[in-house]
Amino acid sequence: MAWPRVADLVRGARLCARTYATTSKPYYVTTPIYYVNAEPHIGHLHSSIMADVLRRYAKLRYDGWSPLGPRGEGTIEPRLTTGTDEHGMKIQRVAEAQNIEPRALCDRVSERFRALNQAGRIECTRFIRTTDADHTQAVQHFWSILQERGYLYQGHHEGWYAVSDEAFYPASQVREVLSDSETYYESIESGQRVEWMTEVNYKFRLSAFQQPLLAWLEANPEAIQPASMYEHILAEVRAGLSDLSVSRPRSRLHWGIPVPNDDAHTMYVWVDALVNYITALGYPSTPYGWPADVHVVGKDIVRFHTIYWPALLMAVGLPVPRTIVAHSHWTVNKMKMSKSKGNSVNPFEAIDKYGIDTIRYYLMRIGGNIGTDADYAPALLEEHKRKFLQGQLGNLLSRVMAPKIQTRLASEGAMLPQPAWTDDDRTLVDALQALPDVFDTHKRQWELSKAVNAAFYVIGLANEHVQHTAPWAATTSTEAVHRCVFLAMEVLRVCGCLLEPVMPEAMKTLLDVLQVPETQRTWSSLSTLQAQVPLRRATEKIAPLFPRSSA
């Protein structure tokens, strides 16, 4: 069967770019699906938390709706897909080394990732496994469409193959490594060893999609984040694309999805894995929610998501993702994290020691800058918890909710009315009123670290304002105490709402302590200060939002 002309593919790519603007759909964010050859580490948790923050923030930002949802027809909940990638040569070899069946290995490790989701408070709408029956059906249907459209052919293939990456690399992406004991080759991008392989397999006509991919990328310069990664991928596509090996002989790889109508071949694990994003939405039926608003991925798998995946989608006639956000990696005390060095961070132990809200905060404030690697340093984590979470956020809450101060204002009634601001209040008032837009701007630029920083900047101003006003002092006028407490409580309400996607449990507790009604926890309520805030008549002290870390 003849495959479409390049001009038709380019036209289709441009249509894909406009699809998002004309389709009512839920906001849809995904994590990479995690390979089950080893236990979860802190980098996996980082990816999942970033995606979860984006989903929770979308729910806040659009009051539970997709930005394009048809208001009046019911709530469209944002969606999040995560899960585990369970096929391929690497799984097969690890299972053989452990003398167990591949499925047993997958079941055990996949449950660890599911448990990490629960420990990390990840609200996913589908935890998908590539061994799920509906995924096998989806992938085989996807393959059949590629074959019917003439994008697959059998050919002789040889090249450098990295078992750890489940990927072939061109010679330009491989380098020779000389060590004291041996000479070997590795992938420049991932640093994994490669070996020369020769075999007959199915190939995907990736070369046919050079111009369509260029049309998509040039029309959507923000489709790949950060900008440096976009430029890297754009240069790679401009340099030319080779056809992609998409199967392995079943004699070498038996642990995977069989090629339809050809039992001698097993599907290449990346074709299998990438289709998970539409399986989770009901494919091969129309995938409701597609295209993805954002794929959150690590920088080591960018090529698969920004070249292979868009080309495969174009080939079957589906829209390309709107944005691929490639975050950087984690070091540990400035050293690259790796199993061989024994410095991988166990995320379960970190959560048990510091608390999930502290971990989520640290991973987003330190690791939310997608352009550079972040360092996981326990001393810095403890400093952030002590200085910002306990010393600024927790301290501000305990100060203004102190029974002595609340009792002094009790004559105002059950509600504290908004006062008239003075020049001393204006800096904080202006910063607070600007905060939602500042926070949203940083989020739209995928700079979650800067968004969190913006909230803590205002919290810092509020603490300075409280310290200057001294509402606990008998010499401070009741009017000044009134202004100080009202404004501090509004800072806590607005920042609590904005930071709830990052620290869901602690910020819900904060808002509950402040007695903030649900109607004042919406995006639309953040742009203006409340006309009044509730007074707390209880005499007990507020329990700490961020208890001390366990030993």
Side-chain angles (χ1 to χ4, degrees):
M1 179 179 178
W3 35 286
R5 297 174 303 157
V6 169
D8 294 330
L9 291 172
V10 171
R11 191 177 303 111
R14 289 172 177 156
L15 286 173
C16 286
R18 294 197 297 268
T19 297
Y20 179 83
T22 59
T23 304
S24 296
K25 58 179 285 300
Y27 184 90
Y28 183 40
V29 57
T30 72
T31 77
I33 52 174
Y34 304 117
Y35 214 41
V36 296
N37 64 310
E39 290 281 310
H41 57 67
I42 201 72
H44 297 126
L45 182 61
H46 172 234
S47 296
S48 292
I49 288 175
M50 178 175 285
D52 185 63
V53 169
L54 293 175
R55 192 202 75 85
R56 290 175 184 267
Y57 182 76
K59 188 173 182 178
L60 167 69
R61 181 64 179 84
Y62 303 108
D63 294 334
W65 292 78
S66 158
L68 302 172
R71 291 188 180 273
E73 298 179 13
T75 300
I76 303 179
E77 284 283 334
R79 298 187 179 188
L80 167 60
T81 293
T82 187
T84 47
D85 183 3
E86 303 182 19
H87 291 136
M89 181 66 73
K90 190 159 43 173
I91 302 301
Q92 184 174 302
R93 289 188 178 181
V94 171
E96 289 171 353
Q98 297 182 14
N99 198 28
I100 59 175
E101 290 297 319
R103 181 65 193 231
L105 172 67
C106 293
D107 288 345
R108 173 170 58 81
V109 182
S110 182
E111 277 305 306
R112 292 290 287 166
F113 280 98
R114 195 185 294 271
L116 185 60
N117 261 10
Q118 295 171 347
R121 307 302 187 266
I122 310 301
E123 290 189 339
C124 64
T125 51
R126 170 76 187 266
F127 185 94
I128 192 169
R129 300 178 58 181
T130 55
T131 51
D132 289 343
D134 65 335
H135 182 66
T136 297
Q137 178 188 4
V139 173
Q140 290 187 322
H141 180 84
F142 193 94
W143 181 282
S144 297
I145 298 299
L146 291 174
Q147 201 159 37
E148 289 171 8
R149 295 189 172 198
Y151 290 118
L152 299 178
Y153 66 95
Q154 272 198 357
H156 180 269
H157 185 84
E158 60 181 12
W160 294 106
Y161 186 77
V163 173
S164 294
D165 298 336
E166 298 282 5
F168 280 98
Y169 288 101
S172 61
Q173 294 294 321
V174 171
R175 64 187 168 202
E176 184 180 27
V177 179
L178 303 176
S179 71
D180 294 338
S181 59
E182 62 178 331
T183 299
Y184 61 91
Y185 292 85
E186 69 178 16
S187 161
I188 295 174
E189 181 175 303
S190 68
Q192 298 296 328
R193 289 197 181 205
V194 296
E195 54 192 79
W196 189 263
M197 285 195 175
T198 301
E199 61 190 27
V200 173
N201 53 31
Y202 284 88
K203 289 190 170 185
F204 170 63
R205 298 184 190 275
L206 181 64
S207 57
F209 290 87
Q210 180 180 10
Q211 290 306 314
L213 287 169
L214 282 176
W216 166 57
L217 290 170
E218 290 171 353
N220 298 274
E222 296 184 353
I224 302 172
Q225 298 291 331
S228 59
M229 191 63 70
Y230 168 82
E231 295 296 339
H232 172 75
I233 294 299
L234 184 62
E236 186 170 337
V237 174
R238 283 174 173 164
L241 300 174
S242 301
D243 288 351
L244 180 67
S245 173
V246 291
S247 77
R248 302 295 310 281
R250 202 154 186 82
S251 58
R252 286 187 174 179
L253 174 63
H254 60 79
W255 182 242
I257 297 177
V259 168
N261 303 314
D262 190 344
D263 292 337
H265 290 269
T266 301
M267 288 187 204
Y268 174 58
V269 67
W270 274 101
V271 176
D272 167 4
L274 289 164
V275 173
N276 95 86
Y277 301 128
I278 53 177
T279 300
L281 299 179
Y283 185 84
S285 297
T286 301
Y288 179 62
W290 192 257
D293 293 271
V294 54
H295 287 319
V296 174
V297 302
K299 65 180 182 180
D300 56 327
I301 55 175
V302 172
R303 177 187 294 106
F304 304 100
H305 288 81
T306 58
I307 297 179
Y308 302 166
W309 181 225
L312 288 164
L313 288 165
M314 292 176 188
V316 299
L318 287 174
V320 296
R322 188 184 184 209
T323 310
I324 299 96
V325 175
H327 63 71
S328 296
H329 291 166
W330 284 87
T331 58
V332 178
N333 292 321
K334 303 299 183 180
M335 295 179 62
K336 183 178 180 181
M337 185 168 60
S338 70
K339 288 185 293 184
S340 61
K341 293 179 180 178
N343 66 345
S344 292
V345 178
N346 184 312
F348 296 100
E349 294 176 359
I351 291 170
D352 288 343
K353 181 173 183 177
Y354 300 108
I356 184 53
D357 286 300
T358 298
I359 290 295
R360 287 176 65 109
Y361 158 86
Y362 186 79
L363 295 184
M364 290 300 95
R365 189 164 187 179
I366 303 301
N369 183 354
I370 60 176
T372 57
D373 287 349
D375 191 53
Y376 186 92
L380 182 60
L381 196 160
E382 285 282 11
E383 180 184 346
H384 267 262
K385 182 174 185 177
R386 182 179 65 255
K387 180 177 180 180
F388 296 103
L389 299 182
Q390 296 171 333
Q392 288 195 4
L393 183 53
N395 190 47
L396 182 62
L397 177 65
S398 62
R399 274 177 154 183
V400 300
M401 298 301 287
K404 180 179 179 180
I405 294 175
Q406 293 282 311
T407 299
R408 181 175 181 183
L409 295 172
S411 59
E412 300 279 355
M415 303 294 288
L416 199 61
Q418 181 172 319
W421 307 120
T422 67
D423 290 343
D424 288 342
D425 307 319
R426 185 49 57 189
T427 297
L428 179 55
V429 170
D430 290 346
L432 177 59
Q433 291 181 322
L435 178 59
D437 285 341
V438 171
F439 194 99
D440 193 55
T441 296
H442 289 315
K443 182 270 167 188
R444 288 178 182 275
Q445 295 171 346
W446 311 104
E447 295 285 5
L448 298 181
S449 176
K450 291 182 180 179
V452 175
N453 282 340
F456 274 88
Y457 170 74
V458 175
I459 292 168
L461 288 179
N463 274 294
E464 292 175 6
H465 187 266
V466 171
Q467 189 67 30
H468 175 74
T469 305
W472 51 82
T475 54
T476 303
S477 68
T478 300
E479 179 185 356
V481 174
H482 178 164
R483 293 197 318 273
C484 177
V485 171
F486 186 102
L487 191 49
M489 292 175 76
E490 276 296 84
V491 167
L492 289 167
R493 177 182 72 90
V494 173
C495 290
C497 290
L498 291 173
L499 292 172
E500 191 168 17
V502 178
M503 300 178 285
E505 293 184 354
M507 294 304 95
K508 182 181 185 304
T509 298
L510 180 149
L511 295 171
D512 288 346
V513 166
L514 293 175
Q515 302 174 27
V516 177
E518 291 297 326
T519 56
Q520 295 298 323
R521 302 186 188 191
T522 63
W523 180 263
S524 57
S525 73
L526 303 183
S527 58
T528 56
L529 302 185
Q530 293 189 57
Q532 52 188 4
V533 300
L535 284 165
R536 182 185 176 93
R537 294 187 176 280
T539 57
E540 74 274 10
K541 290 185 177 180
I542 304 300
L545 288 175
F546 303 96
R548 291 181 179 273
S549 302
S550 63

